[in-house]
Amino acid sequence: MKVFTALFMLVGFALVISAYTPSSEVAPAPPKFKMPKSVNKIVQDKCYGCHNVDGRSDKAKEALLWDDLASLSPDMVVEKMKSIQHVLDEGSMPPAKMLERMPEKALSDKERSKMAKWAGKLTKKMM
C-alpha cells in the first residue's frame, strides 16, 4: 500500500512540475515560396551543379545552397535573393573560369531575366 501511495505522489508531483515548466518556443515555420518550373529548370541546368552540398567549390556552397533555401528565415531568403539578383546583374555567375571549361552553362539573356524577375518578386513577397 505504501508503494502505491509513494508512486501516486511521485506521478502527481511530476505532473505538477511539468505544468509549471516553461515550454520551449516553437521555431517559426520556414517561408513558403514557389519556384516556377522554368526557373527550376535553369537552376538545375546551370546552377545546381556547384550550389549543392556535393559541389566541389566551398565558396559556391557557402554563397548559396539551393536545397537549403526553403528552410531559411524570411530575412535570409531576402538576402539570398538580393545576392542572386546582384550576380545576375553583374553577369558574374556562372564564373568565367567555369564557362571556359563548360560554355553550355552560360546563362542566356532570357534566362538571366527570368531568374532576376523571380528573385525580385520573391524578395518583395518576403519583405
Side-chain angles (χ1 to χ4, degrees), residues 25-31 70-74:
E25 288 191 28
V26 177
S71 65
L72 298 176
S73 70

